[in-house]
């Protein structure tokens, strides 16, 4: 038997962007615990904007479990928040996702590393060289001295946890980075994204560095941060076809406002039609077009309109649960009959 440190993680009730919270529970197990072995736990919802003080208990239901290589016998436990009666709390966006084991999502998370409110590598006053060499760049003048160490350590901790990173890269603005997570199952990649965000924020405590998740932290000729959301269903991958694709895009157009509502706050600052975006009030799709709302990969068309699509509108502060939920809802409105 060993004592395990279970870090229960959940999303709080702050709007428009939930914070991820965590607290530790010690339990004894023979070996690394399975999801089924993890107890339901509770917390004080009045401190997280999830309850009133006079009736403050909320429940934490474990939904995914990951090893935490930074802690001896460490376990990261992603949870849903439930009301005392066991039903989903109104802030529980994960519970709104239609369950579909054959839905696949790939999220590309962009973010800024910041120190004293300025992107890492920015001078104390004024601006560094304009954008150009930072994207996928190398060298002190492009990436500074500690950003790469943070990004590499983050990647290793995530890989140790079994999080399915597909890659990382330095982004277009100085101090801006990206990682991509892919998962099969409607909530899989979203669970992993929230845990990866948590790991990154926790790691950065050591460096006196914060993460700026906002989609447009710098005004002017500086890229904003997105969370491009790539998605496919079994039908899209195996049947597809031009006619189905066009019906699907029609449904996305019709639900434009509902999508934008969950694609992260302040997105009008980022979706301007510049910097590889479409403006927020237009819905367009285009083959290999990074200036459209939805990019249709070349391979999708070549395969006979089969495969995955990239919704480029979700931003870096978007909740991947709410995004996956909305995308699957719109897809479900489209008949797969020909
Ligand atoms: P880019 O920066 O060119 O948009 P990336 O390589 O950063 O491309 O991201 C592409 C994303 O698409 C990855 O996160 C990947 O996991 C995801 N992806 C690939 N195939 C599928 C699929 N069949 N269904 C859903 N997502 C997919
Ligand atoms: Mn990318
Ligand atoms: Mn990118
Ligand atoms: Mn992309």
């Amino acid at each position: 038997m060993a004592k395990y440190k279970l870090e229960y993680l959940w999303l709080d009730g702050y709007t428009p962007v939930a914070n991820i919270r965590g607290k530790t529970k010690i339990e004894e197990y023979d070996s690394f615990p399975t999801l089924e072995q993890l107890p339901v736990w509770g917390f004080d919802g009045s401190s997280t904007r999830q309850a009133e003080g006079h009736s403050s208990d909320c429940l934490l239901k474990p939904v995914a479990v990951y090893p935490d290589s930074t802690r001896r016998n460490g376990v990261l436990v992603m949870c849903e928040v439930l009301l005392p009666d066991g039903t989903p709390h109104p802030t529980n966006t994960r519970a709104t996702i239609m369950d579909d084991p054959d839905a696949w999502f790939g999220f590309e998370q962009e973010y800024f590393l910041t120190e004293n409110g300025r992107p890492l590598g920015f001078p104390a006053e004024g601006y560094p060289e304009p954008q150009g060499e930072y994207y996928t760049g190398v060298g002190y003048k492009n990436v500074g001295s500690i950003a790469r160490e943070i990004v590499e350590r983050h990647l290793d901790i995530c890989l140790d946890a079994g999080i399915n990173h597909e890659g990382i890269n330095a982004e277009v603005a100085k101090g801006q980075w990206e990682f991509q997570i892919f998962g099969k199952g409607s909530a899989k990649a979203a669970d992993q994204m929230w845990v990866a965000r948590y790991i990154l924020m926790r790691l950065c405590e050591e460096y006196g560095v914060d993460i700026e998740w906002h989609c447009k932290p710098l005004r002017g000729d500086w890229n904003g941060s997105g969370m491009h959301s790539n998605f496919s269903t079994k039908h899209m991958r195996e049947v597809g076809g031009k006619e189905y694709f066009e019906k699907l895009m029609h449904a996305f157009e019709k639900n434009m406002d509902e999508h934008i509502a969950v694609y992260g706050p302040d997105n009008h600052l980022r979706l301007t039609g510049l910097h590889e975006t479409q403006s927020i009030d237009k819905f367009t799709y285009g083959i290999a077009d990074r200036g459209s709302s939805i990019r249709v990969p070349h391979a999708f068309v070549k395969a006979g309109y089969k495969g995955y699509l990239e919704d480029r509108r979700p931003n870096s502060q978007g909740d991947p649960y709410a995004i996956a939920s909305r995308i699957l809802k719109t897809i479900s409105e489209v008949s797969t009959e020909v």
Side-chain angles (χ1 to χ4, degrees):
M1 292 286 261
K3 293 203 174 182
Y4 283 83
K5 302 179 192 114
L6 313 177
E7 190 71 14
Y8 275 52
L9 303 175
W10 73 96
L11 300 181
D12 70 14
Y14 280 60
T15 55
V17 181
N19 302 289
I20 187 153
R21 306 273 185 144
K23 62 172 183 158
T24 309
K25 183 174 180 50
I26 310 297
E27 292 279 340
E28 252 183 314
Y29 297 102
D30 285 331
S31 56
F32 191 85
T34 62
L35 189 58
E36 292 67 36
Q37 286 176 292
L38 298 169
V40 169
W41 199 19
F43 68 98
D44 167 17
S46 71
S47 300
T48 60
R49 300 192 182 163
Q50 283 164 309
E52 303 293 333
H54 54 85
S55 159
S56 63
D57 283 0
C58 291
L59 300 178
L60 293 173
K61 177 188 153 204
V63 292
V65 57
Y66 312 88
D68 183 354
S69 62
T70 68
R71 257 175 145 183
R72 191 146 50 91
N73 294 329
V75 187
L76 294 165
V77 183
M78 192 64 203
C79 297
E80 281 189 22
V81 177
L82 307 180
L83 293 166
D85 69 2
T87 59
H89 190 277
T91 60
N92 181 348
T93 46
R94 189 183 189 276
T96 69
I97 304 175
M98 281 175 206
D99 188 30
D100 177 358
D102 295 316
W104 298 357
F105 284 94
F107 297 112
E108 306 170 50
Q109 174 76 62
E110 295 176 336
Y111 62 96
F112 281 83
L113 295 167
T114 65
E115 199 170 15
N116 303 319
R118 307 266 295 163
L120 268 194
F122 270 49
E125 275 168 60
Y127 290 89
E129 290 294 308
Q131 294 185 161
E133 293 183 26
Y134 304 129
Y135 171 73
T136 60
V138 65
Y140 174 70
K141 77 176 162 64
N142 289 327
V143 295
S145 57
I146 63 167
R148 200 181 293 280
E149 182 178 320
I150 293 173
V151 166
E152 289 292 325
R153 286 183 66 195
H154 176 245
L155 177 60
D156 281 336
I157 299 166
C158 287
L159 292 175
D160 288 346
I163 292 176
N164 193 33
H165 272 242
E166 291 223 309
I168 57 174
N169 60 272
E171 267 302 334
V172 175
K174 192 165 198 182
Q176 191 186 30
W177 292 81
E178 169 175 316
F179 59 89
Q180 305 106 32
I181 292 178
F182 173 74
K184 296 181 177 179
S186 40
K188 184 80 165 267
D191 284 334
Q192 296 191 356
M193 178 54 69
W194 274 115
V195 175
R197 287 177 175 181
Y198 170 82
I199 291 171
L200 182 58
M201 293 172 82
R202 191 184 62 180
L203 173 66
C204 283
E205 293 167 0
E206 271 183 53
Y207 296 88
V209 163
D210 274 306
I211 308 301
E212 178 53 85
W213 301 105
H214 191 272
C215 71
K216 197 71 185 177
L218 300 164
R219 302 296 163 93
D221 208 8
W222 294 95
N223 272 42
S225 298
M227 189 174 67
H228 296 166
S229 300
N230 302 274
F231 60 93
S232 64
T233 58
K234 193 172 165 65
H235 187 83
M236 287 169 66
R237 292 189 302 272
E238 293 178 8
V239 183
K242 194 162 189 223
E243 197 184 321
Y244 176 73
F245 167 76
E246 280 168 359
K247 280 195 289 184
L248 193 59
M249 290 303 93
H250 182 72
F252 270 79
E253 182 168 24
K254 197 181 77 191
N255 290 307
M256 186 176 95
D257 295 344
E258 286 77 5
H259 282 255
I260 292 295
V262 297
Y263 280 2
D266 298 332
N267 225 355
H268 59 286
L269 300 174
R270 164 180 167 261
L271 299 178
T272 55
L274 302 171
H275 302 111
E276 303 174 41
T277 67
Q278 176 56 285
S279 30
I280 193 162
D281 53 359
K282 287 202 190 106
F283 176 84
T284 58
Y285 58 87
I287 297 158
D289 182 2
R290 288 166 193 273
S292 57
S293 318
I294 288 196
R295 177 175 66 90
V296 184
H298 272 305
F300 184 93
V301 179
K302 270 207 217 124
Y305 289 81
K306 269 194 285 210
Y308 75 95
L309 298 169
E310 177 187 47
D311 195 331
R312 300 177 59 80
R313 298 169 295 171
N315 79 31
S316 44
Q317 265 184 321
D319 168 6
Y321 292 142
I323 295 166
S325 175
R326 183 61 242 182
I327 288 175
L328 291 178
K329 187 158 194 286
T330 295
I331 293 175
S332 77
E333 289 170 9
V334 179
S335 162
T336 51
E337 273 153 49
V338 213

